[in-house]
Amino acid sequence: MSLPATTPPGLAASPPLPPSSRPSLAGRRILLADPDTIFLQALVEPFEAEGLHVFRCDDLPHLRHRLTGAAWDVLILDPAIAGATPSALFGEIARLPTPPALIVTAPAMSEVDRIIALEMGADHCVSKPCSAAEMLARVGALLGRRRATAAGLPSGTAYFADLAFDPQRRLLYRRDGGRQRLSTAEADLLTLFLRNPRRILDRDALRAGTAAGPGNDRGLRAIDVLVSRLRADLTAAVPVIVTVRGQGYILPHGVRWDSARPEDPGRAPHARMDGERRASATGRTGVAGHDVPDGPVDMSPGG
């Protein structure tokens, strides 16, 4: 379905993608949240033509009702809908039982705007004006990544330091019984480290290993932001991801994969993390990296 002859503000005119190049989006649920009702309306027809189930809202109470009332595959969000408190809204989205893939869009986004959005949990950032074709490509890339990631994830739970992580459900478990569902980007990054324990991964390797395909926004500076976000979640008795000055980042702990989940009856999986001597280094393939050198490693969390 082509765009109207007069393109609304915020939506750039562009030819539609050839049907053969579009991943199947049929049946996926997408929520459009933007105070600009003209922008919303201009996306509805092209999205529905691809088989998406499209819902829209143009104010914060309506958005909150939609978010808590159903599960969503993708949320396209202009933070302006939250007025002066967008950070609180991002926190609500992250705490959802199944957070959607998140595309943040806003007029003329600067690099700083994009980094702030990525830091608050965005998977992609799109600067207005933008075309419906680009938005569809972004949605397809995110959903394709989620399918590919789910298909390629290791089974079971990874135990490391005094934490546990279930990649399939993106759930992080702590020794005190607390648990947290990580964002898609954070879960991808942690899984990459867990598949490459005790190996230094530079920023290029991290960017390649967490890329979503077409439309990946993460420059090298944004990778540092993503690592900082993940570190903030990985509160443990010892540093979990540390900086190797001038080289990259490393998870300096052994990793053991087990079919048992922390909430399984009669299990106390954290107690089974009895030190790095018995830990496995399973899954060291497929990512550029190198083993820890003999020289000193900076064990501070910063960097």
Side-chain angles (χ1 to χ4, degrees), residues 99 165 170-172 180-184 186-187 190 230 233:
F165 181 61
R170 308 200 315 273
L171 279 178
L172 178 70
Q180 175 182 352
R181 194 180 302 274
L182 301 184
S183 71
T184 302
E186 292 166 340
L190 179 55
L230 181 58
D233 293 329

Side-chain angles (χ1 to χ4, degrees), residues 143-221:
L143 294 178
R145 182 183 76 179
R146 285 198 163 186
R147 284 193 294 267
T149 299
L153 286 177
S155 59
T157 302
Y159 296 91
F160 59 103
D162 59 356
L163 301 167
F165 181 61
D166 179 349
Q168 294 283 348
R169 298 187 296 168
R170 308 200 315 273
L171 279 178
L172 178 70
Y173 298 87
R174 299 183 176 86
R175 183 182 292 276
D176 63 6
R179 65 180 188 175
Q180 175 182 352
R181 194 180 302 274
L182 301 184
S183 71
T184 302
E186 292 166 340
D188 287 352
L189 184 63
L190 179 55
T191 301
L192 186 62
F193 278 113
L194 293 173
R195 282 175 154 168
N196 294 271
R198 298 193 180 115
R199 301 192 73 192
I200 299 169
L201 300 176
D202 63 23
R203 291 169 176 83
D204 287 320
L206 295 176
R207 186 179 190 277
T210 58
N216 177 42
D217 300 284
R218 297 190 193 105
L220 298 185
R221 186 178 174 191

Side-chain angles (χ1 to χ4, degrees), residues 90 93-94 99-100 102 104 114-125 145 170 172 174 180-190 193 218 221-235 241 249 301:
F90 279 102
I93 294 169
L102 178 59
V104 170
R114 291 173 183 268
I115 288 174
I116 290 173
L118 291 167
E119 190 171 23
M120 290 196 290
D123 293 291
H124 282 193
C125 299
R145 182 183 76 179
R170 308 200 315 273
L172 178 70
R174 299 183 176 86
Q180 175 182 352
R181 194 180 302 274
L182 301 184
S183 71
T184 302
E186 292 166 340
D188 287 352
L189 184 63
L190 179 55
F193 278 113
R218 297 190 193 105
R221 186 178 174 191
I223 284 295
D224 293 333
V225 172
L226 183 58
V227 170
S228 295
R229 276 173 44 197
L230 181 58
R231 279 172 166 162
D233 293 329
L234 298 176
T235 52
I241 297 174
Y249 300 99

Side-chain angles (χ1 to χ4, degrees), residues 39 118-119 134 208 232 247 268 289 303:
F39 178 76
L118 291 167
E119 190 171 23
E134 178 184 359
Q247 298 184 61

Side-chain angles (χ1 to χ4, degrees), residues 90-129:
F90 279 102
E92 293 174 34
I93 294 169
R95 290 189 293 272
L96 292 172
T98 307
L102 178 59
I103 299 175
V104 170
T105 181
M109 295 185 77
S110 66
E111 180 186 20
V112 172
D113 294 331
R114 291 173 183 268
I115 288 174
I116 290 173
L118 291 167
E119 190 171 23
M120 290 196 290
D123 293 291
H124 282 193
C125 299
V126 182
S127 186
K128 295 177 183 176

Side-chain angles (χ1 to χ4, degrees), residues 6-29:
T6 301
T7 305
L11 201 68
S14 71
L17 293 171
S20 60
S21 69
R22 290 177 178 158
S24 175
L25 303 177
R28 297 303 189 113
R29 292 170 53 85

